[in-house]
Amino acid sequence: MKPKVLVTREVFEDVLQCLSQYFEVTSNQSDVVMDPETLAAKLSGKQGAIITLSDRIDAALLARCPNLKAVCNIAVGYNNIDLAACTKAGVMATNTPGVLDDTTGDFTWTLILATARRLTEAEAYLRAGKWDGWKLKQFLGLDVHHATLGIFGLGRIGQVVARRAIGFEMRVIYHDVRQAVPEVEQACRASFATKEELLSQADIVTIHVPYSPATHHLIGKSELGRMKPTAILINASRGGVVDDAALIEALRSGTIAGAGLDVFENEPKLNPQFLELKNVVMAPHIASSSLATRHKMAMLAAENLVAALTTGKPPNLLNPV
Ligand code: DGY
């Protein structure tokens, strides 16, 4: 008999076909997000699951799913999974690193350029029929070329963002828990800065760190206060790394000039005050969402699940079990 697995959200047809070769698959192609109770009920009796950021895997859920052996996230970030609880329950957890770096880096640049040049604000003005002709001072923005780019987190995605900055002839500084090796700094043409130096010198601050208790509100009122009033903040990492209430206040008061955000605290219920601000460019957590990349992410999660339940050695194992 084939092991039973659950796919908690809609995936591509060929991913389901791949899984069906090995497993009896229950899938949720209607894509309705499951509340914890429904998720526990659907997972009961399953040995594995393909999950997403909308599925919280914690001790309470695991206690109700004694047959579970593996949960495979379709995401590189895994703050939806309590790894310690998984390890304790003997459940393998995996993520999808590597396949989304370029696409997420590209989208970071989408946010940088759109925010610096006030694109959504200008387009809304045009769509509202308010444009009555060229004006010298219309939607004056921030030059990206030759500006200083400050990157929090020079991991895989941070490095992609830094390398793209070479084309804009920018000065790139970064801050991380550890200084990168010289080869990486050279390839990125990036130099290490303290958090304070980065905040006070960068024209564009972009965040590429995972969410954890250590990075919760990495950017809050005091950090925003250290930034230049002309600077912009970009976040395509995780909600919670930025204190949204403090950011709203900083955008409203002119402490900083603008923000480009793909992620928010309490997604998808973003703070409604963001909607009242003109100097913020927003997207619904789509930085990795190109067709090719989302397909690769789902396929990699499926490969992890197949390996986990057949060999016990998934390529992207996150926890020792
Ligand atoms: C990730 O991979 O962590 C992304 O945020 C999912 O879109």
Side-chain angles (χ1 to χ4, degrees), residues 53 74-78 96 100 236-238 263 285 287-288 294 297:
L53 304 177
I74 307 181
V76 66
Y78 49 87
T96 59
L100 49 77
S237 63
R238 272 292 178 278
V263 290
H285 203 145
S288 64
R294 284 283 166 93
M297 289 164 69

